[in-house]
Amino acid sequence: MAKIAFVGAGSVVFTRQLVADLLRFGDLDLELALHDVDPARLAVAEGTAHRLVEQLGHPARISATGDRTTALDGADFVINMIQVGGIDATIADLEIPARHGLRQTIGDTTGVGGVFRALRTFPVLTAILQDMRAVCPDALLLNYTNPMAMNVWWASVVAPDIRTYGLCHSVYWTAHDLAELLGLDVEQTRYRAFGVNHQSWLRDWTTADGEDLYPRLRERIAADPELERRVRVEIFRRIGYYPTETSEHSSEYLSWFLRDDEQVERFRIEPLQYIGISRENVAEYEEAKTLLREGTSLPLEGGASEYAPQIIHSILTGTTREIHVNVPNHGLIDNLPAGAAVEVPAHVDGFGVVPIAMGPLPVQCAALNRTYLSVAELAVEAARTGDPRLVRQAVLVDGNASSTLTPAQIWDLCNDLVVAHGDLLPEPLRALL
């Protein structure tokens, strides 16, 4: 029986999808250990897991505990999906910069929102890794928590002995949605992307018999002027490769869009969008409580599209797959910094996860990735050294922030966020400058 620990299991809807994907395989003997610091959310997650066992007709041993070490003890796989500070901290990451005149849409990947989300996540991630070292040192840590690149980079700094893989569905859904746009099923296509999480580049994208699909995509865009009013299409037009995260995300990774009212209107960008998404997530949690109380079946998405269940199934059964993972750059992408967290294809089977060396990115793609990674590097270094100036400098080199605010305004903004997040931040970084 393989033990899988879910840390942050109170992310109920996501836990539901992961558990459902695991149970759908049908050939796994599983123990699912759920952990969350919120007892109410943990109870809903536990009820969800039991309901799915009944709904899908596949047995599994379910446990739930508020003690993280108990959940981790003897685990073979650890799935991390914590959100330190919850919805209140997320809203602060968006609303406080907005009051300073800085627009964001999602605020969870890079820029000021990504930096402060990382800084309050790092201490908890460190504690998880320390616990793993004590009670399940051979387990794989499968991380879903954003900011992905910063968290995977941090894990490689504080616990290089723990095998950590960052997992994100953005590459899969990009390939899926583009195939649908061209009237194809994603299974009729072949694709590989690489770069950094939420800003990887779809470099190899063909039909099963090798036809390059980029010419078809250009024709499809040219036939519909409304498609040109999307951020990702504009990036594709200017850079030549399609980026692997939504237009809403992608708009805040560059200096091109959110600083300008006309660009916001032209590309149909919705600033502060993630506040609404966060509140929808709370509503979904309340709906889950109601469905469990009423004994109603839980709604499920079709298919096993998430990577963590695929990795677990491949390792336990020897099934061969290719997925995409986020790992430190040790010879994987030639023209991105060594040690930085990068996203690349990986081969998975009974022997584990093997990232695939992809060589160099197209130079224009690497140039944009390096700016993103500079923000991540400064945030990681700020936490490692306890230097609060590096926090401000991380935001200063972000394209969106520096195209909108002066350095003095960035310092003031960071001071306000430090006050707002308080003791969620590492103690040395709580200084006001």
Side-chain angles (χ1 to χ4, degrees), residues 241-261:
Y241 292 89
Y242 207 82
T244 59
E245 190 44 86
T246 64
S247 287
E248 289 69 33
H249 277 274
S250 296
S251 66
E252 64 184 10
Y253 304 160
L254 302 167
S255 62
W256 309 354
F257 299 105
L258 287 166
R259 66 178 179 180
D260 184 88
D261 290 341

Side-chain angles (χ1 to χ4, degrees), residues 166-240:
L167 306 179
C168 177
H169 47 221
S170 62
V171 173
Y172 170 81
W173 284 112
T174 296
H176 177 279
D177 293 345
L178 288 179
E180 185 177 28
L181 186 66
L182 299 185
L184 300 171
D185 187 283
V186 71
E187 299 302 323
Q188 298 174 278
T189 69
R190 300 291 179 268
Y191 59 91
R192 277 182 169 179
F194 61 114
V196 293
N197 182 241
H198 288 186
Q199 199 184 62
S200 285
W201 307 95
L202 195 62
R203 193 190 70 173
D204 304 320
W205 183 43
T206 69
T207 62
D209 60 5
E211 177 196 349
D212 182 4
L213 287 170
Y214 269 132
R216 284 204 218 179
L217 179 60
R218 291 187 176 92
E219 290 176 5
R220 179 69 178 84
I221 291 168
D224 184 355
E226 284 302 296
L227 285 175
E228 294 184 346
R229 296 185 60 213
R230 298 302 292 144
V231 165
R232 280 207 285 182
V233 173
E234 176 71 354
I235 294 171
F236 171 47
R237 179 184 179 190
R238 304 301 177 182
I239 298 301

Side-chain angles (χ1 to χ4, degrees), residues 199 201 238-241 335 361-370:
Q199 199 184 62
W201 307 95
R238 304 301 177 182
I239 298 301
Y241 292 89
N335 49 354
L361 274 164
V363 291
Q364 69 275 27
C365 299
L368 295 185
N369 284 168
R370 282 194 291 266

Side-chain angles (χ1 to χ4, degrees), residues 242-368:
Y242 207 82
T244 59
E245 190 44 86
T246 64
S247 287
E248 289 69 33
H249 277 274
S250 296
S251 66
E252 64 184 10
Y253 304 160
L254 302 167
S255 62
W256 309 354
F257 299 105
L258 287 166
R259 66 178 179 180
D260 184 88
D261 290 341
E262 189 277 332
Q263 291 285 85
V264 169
E265 172 65 24
R266 178 182 175 188
F267 292 105
R268 297 179 285 175
I269 305 168
E270 182 186 342
L272 304 181
Q273 185 182 52
Y274 200 62
I275 292 177
I277 293 172
S278 296
R279 288 174 176 150
E280 289 171 5
N281 290 340
V282 173
E284 289 181 331
Y285 163 68
E286 294 298 330
E287 179 189 36
K289 288 200 299 185
T290 300
L291 294 174
L292 290 172
R293 186 171 57 250
E294 295 176 348
T296 307
S297 293
L298 299 173
L300 297 173
E301 297 178 10
S305 60
E306 290 296 341
Y307 285 148
Q310 293 182 48
I311 288 175
I312 292 166
H313 184 262
S314 285
I315 289 175
L316 295 179
T317 67
T319 304
T320 298
R321 290 182 171 89
E322 184 172 297
I323 62 170
H324 286 76
V325 298
N326 293 270
V327 289
N329 185 26
H330 298 308
L332 300 174
I333 301 179
D334 294 347
N335 49 354
L336 291 184
V342 296
E343 189 164 56
V344 293
H347 179 88
V348 192
D349 59 19
F351 294 100
V353 181
V354 181
I356 297 170
M358 298 300 292
L361 274 164
V363 291
Q364 69 275 27
C365 299
L368 295 185

